[in-house]
Amino acid sequence: MYNETITIPLLPGECWWGGAVQDGTHMPFGALPHRRDLSGDLAYNQGNPRLLSNKGRYVWSDEPFRFALAKGQLTIEGEKGSLTFGADGGNLRGAFLQASRNHFPPSGTYPDMQFFNVPQYNTWMEMSYEPTQAKVIAYAEAILEHGLPPGILMIDDNWHEDYGTLEFHPGRFPDPRGMIDRLHELGFRVMLWVCPFISPDGEVFRMLRQRGYLLRNSAGSPIVREWWNGYSAVLDGSHPEAVDWFTGELDRLIHNYGVDGFKLDAGDPQYYRTDDVSAQPMTPNGQCEAWARIGLRYAFNEYRACWKCAGQPLVQRLSDKNHSWGNDGLASLIPNGLAQGLAGYAFHCPDMVGGGQYGDLILPDFEVDAELFVRYAQCSALFPMMQFSTAPWRVLDETHLEHCIRAAHLHCRMGEEIAALAKSAAATGEPIMRHLAYVFPEEGYEQVSDQFMLGDDILVAPVVKKGAVTRKIVFPSGTWQGDDGSIVIGPCEREVAAPLSRLPWYRKQ
């Protein structure tokens, strides 16, 4: 597949970001060996065929490539003629803007503004595969009863009949229009979970097979592929009429029931193969991109997997995280969120507060760590978006619940500023959540990955270590006023008080 190799010697002090968002915990690359093949495997999160350097250099390819950093050099293998090297950006921000202008210019549009000024609530961790109309309404009412603000409510997997049969299950949802009307009355917007998989042997499968809308094998039969919920046929994203059929079904849900939008799950390159037969030649990464582009039709959308749609008005959530303090949980949110922004996915969301990994819930000895849950909420509060799923009032005592409620209301209070940054991102492509090295390129902050900037003027330093009641913060040049009223003159490092009730953040004066 790869027939061209480029070797780039690293400059003194040079660091690189990019590729797969899930590798954010290893970024910046350069000090330690790292490798990633972007073809067919994006580690179940977003990816972009672009690398950025703090020395103003970038690499772009229109197709997936393989890269490795080791022994003081960056080696890239790609398709001949597809690799582009830029070298005059000056710093990380300059490299980002240069690559954005040349290869994925911002669209000028953005998701619905409510994503940036109210929380999201997802039914997954409370209901998993058993959502019902009664449960959904009770969940929404409990959100308000416990002092959390209304927001965007996502009804997750199994609200429907068979996969691909995009109709409410009549036994679990006897009056979907009435349910959505009630949710709207309570102040929520409503999204439904959908995927590109089609249950085989059903009526919809037979219709799609007859029309040629499914991926096929070399013998011409529809493929049946294993995914996390079982075995299904797969919609062909390269077939315009197949996409029109699917979006027609989504539009019908909007028209008939008042649905506001969709969480478009799956679509990962891992669920496609290079030998799949499609209406138009398309790689696994291309199918992932085609699935992502469906969301461009809807102001309310969400993705966990995406390829090469930087600069577009798509909501990008981090992959499911564990209920843990480590790099599979809370500690990954900031570095991977920074990686999302540097990949060009400005409109992004951390994983669900407390972690969205369903496997945690079914462990026989699983217990919620109340301190961890609060720190998850605080870490999410000044991301571009935040999302709850596990009901904090069910798993927390009154004191810990109040800390989570405060975090949610902080997000709402800052919503106008975050929304303004989102509108700016739509025009410029720049991240909303920014690395310190992006905003302060001359101050040597490349290795700081546990705090971030919201725009250019707000410094956020969540506590991500168990038991910590203080937090060492790196303050760049300038005068910084804290959420507690304190004033700090940078550049400096300062140990600040960070009891469980506090998310430390500072505004540049």
Side-chain angles (χ1 to χ4, degrees):
M1 174 180 177
Y2 301 130
N3 53 19
E4 181 177 21
T5 300
I6 296 177
T7 300
I8 302 171
L10 300 187
L11 301 172
E14 186 168 28
C15 303
W16 291 81
W17 290 260
V21 162
Q22 189 76 323
D23 290 339
T25 53
H26 302 290
M27 296 178 197
F29 309 131
L32 298 174
H34 182 81
R35 61 187 302 111
R36 165 68 68 180
D37 190 339
L38 297 173
S39 178
D41 184 0
L42 299 177
Y44 299 100
N45 222 174
Q46 299 88 21
N48 201 17
R50 192 271 313 273
L51 301 173
L52 296 173
S53 155
N54 64 332
K55 300 298 182 181
R57 306 200 289 179
Y58 77 85
V59 174
W60 169 265
S61 173
D62 289 323
E63 301 297 334
F65 59 82
R66 179 189 299 133
F67 69 96
L69 290 99
K71 299 180 180 179
Q73 65 182 27
L74 168 63
T75 302
I76 301 173
E77 301 171 78
E79 291 189 18
K80 192 172 184 63
S82 69
L83 295 169
T84 299
F85 180 61
D88 56 357
N91 52 41
L92 179 60
R93 191 174 207 154
F96 177 95
L97 291 171
Q98 186 183 67
S100 175
R101 284 192 301 268
N102 293 340
H103 304 288
F104 50 93
S107 68
T109 57
Y110 38 80
D112 191 278
M113 280 290 108
Q114 291 189 58
F115 279 108
F116 307 103
N117 52 46
V118 296
Q120 303 162 28
Y121 302 93
N122 188 292
T123 64
W124 175 243
M125 295 296 279
E126 286 298 297
M127 305 172 205
S128 59
Y129 295 104
E130 299 178 354
T132 67
Q133 180 168 325
K135 288 180 184 178
V136 170
I137 292 175
Y139 182 58
E141 291 175 342
I143 288 168
L144 305 183
E145 288 167 4
H146 289 89
L148 286 159
I152 299 169
L153 196 153
M154 301 179 184
I155 304 175
D156 213 278
D157 195 354
N158 219 27
W159 58 269
H160 44 73
E161 297 187 25
D162 290 342
Y163 293 107
T165 304
L166 297 177
E167 185 56 67
F168 281 93
H169 189 286
R172 295 191 291 272
F173 294 87
D175 180 15
R177 181 80 206 202
M179 176 189 69
I180 293 175
D181 286 346
R182 174 60 177 157
L183 294 173
H184 285 163
E185 289 173 4
L186 293 173
F188 293 90
R189 302 303 288 268
V190 184
M191 297 172 63
L192 299 178
W193 179 97
V194 296
C195 68
F197 298 113
I198 312 295
S199 296
D201 297 332
E203 180 180 349
V204 172
F205 169 82
R206 290 192 292 272
M207 179 269 292
L208 296 179
R209 178 183 60 183
Q210 183 178 20
R211 295 184 183 181
Y213 292 176
L214 302 172
L215 290 179
R216 294 160 287 136
N217 59 27
S218 58
S221 298
I223 61 169
V224 175
R225 184 134 302 148
E226 184 177 10
W227 61 299
W228 69 78
N229 279 342
Y231 297 82
S232 297
V234 188
L235 192 74
D236 181 2
S238 80
H239 198 311
E241 293 179 8
V243 172
D244 287 346
W245 167 80
F246 187 81
T247 56
E249 292 296 285
L250 301 187
D251 293 345
R252 178 180 53 78
L253 290 164
I254 292 173
H255 180 266
N256 289 355
Y257 303 116
V259 173
D260 296 294
F262 304 95
K263 171 181 175 178
L264 296 106
D265 205 0
D268 306 82
Q270 288 92 326
Y271 298 121
Y272 305 92
R273 297 178 185 168
T274 55
D275 60 352
D276 289 341
V277 178
S278 52
Q280 302 175 37
M282 189 168 279
T283 65
N285 289 59
Q287 289 283 356
C288 180
E289 180 182 356
W291 175 243
R293 290 191 176 278
I294 290 175
L296 296 175
R297 301 169 184 242
Y298 306 100
F300 286 88
N301 66 75
E302 188 202 71
Y303 283 89
R304 175 194 46 75
C306 190
W307 173 249
K308 219 176 128 180
C309 285
Q312 299 300 312
L314 298 175
V315 172
Q316 306 285 355
R317 181 177 61 83
L318 286 178
S319 63
D320 297 2
K321 305 301 180 190
N322 290 103
H323 186 72
S324 79
W325 292 89
N327 278 342
D328 60 350
L330 176 60
S332 71
L333 295 189
I334 296 174
N336 287 4
L338 292 169
Q340 284 179 311
L342 288 172
Y345 301 116
F347 311 121
H348 64 91
C349 182
D351 189 32
M352 304 161 184
V353 170
Q357 187 57 261
Y358 172 68
D360 284 346
L361 286 182
I362 60 178
L363 294 173
D365 57 348
F366 176 73
E367 292 184 10
V368 169
D369 180 334
E371 178 192 359
L372 173 62
F373 201 99
V374 170
R375 295 305 196 188
Y376 249 105
Q378 292 172 343
C379 187
S380 302
L382 293 180
F383 266 62
M385 307 176 191
M386 73 181 305
Q387 184 175 127
F388 288 91
S389 186
T390 300
W393 60 87
R394 182 178 61 80
V395 299
L396 301 177
D397 59 32
E398 186 175 340
T399 299
H400 290 87
L401 171 60
E402 182 57 32
H403 295 328
C404 291
I405 293 171
R406 288 178 60 191
H409 283 284
L410 172 62
H411 184 76
C412 294
R413 290 199 308 273
M414 298 295 287
E416 187 174 336
E417 290 187 63
I418 298 172
L421 288 168
K423 291 178 181 178
S424 177
T428 67
E430 290 200 270
I432 299 170
M433 175 180 174
R434 299 171 184 172
H435 202 291
L436 265 67
Y438 187 95
V439 181
F440 303 95
E442 306 303 324
E443 300 193 25
Y445 297 138
E446 284 80 4
Q447 302 301 324
V448 178
S449 60
D450 63 349
Q451 57 186 76
F452 62 91
M453 299 296 299
L454 183 61
D456 283 348
D457 298 320
I458 296 176
L459 174 66
V460 188
V463 174
V464 293
K465 293 182 180 179
K466 184 174 178 60
V469 293
T470 62
R471 172 67 159 86
K472 185 174 77 172
I473 301 177
V474 174
F475 289 92
S477 298
T479 301
W480 301 88
Q481 182 172 15
D483 60 290
D484 59 352
S486 62
I487 299 293
V488 178
I489 309 298
C492 67
E493 291 188 12
R494 183 76 57 86
E495 191 90 12
V496 306
L500 190 59
S501 59
R502 185 186 182 201
L503 162 65
W505 64 277
Y506 296 78
R507 187 184 298 275
K508 191 175 184 181
Q509 299 300 293

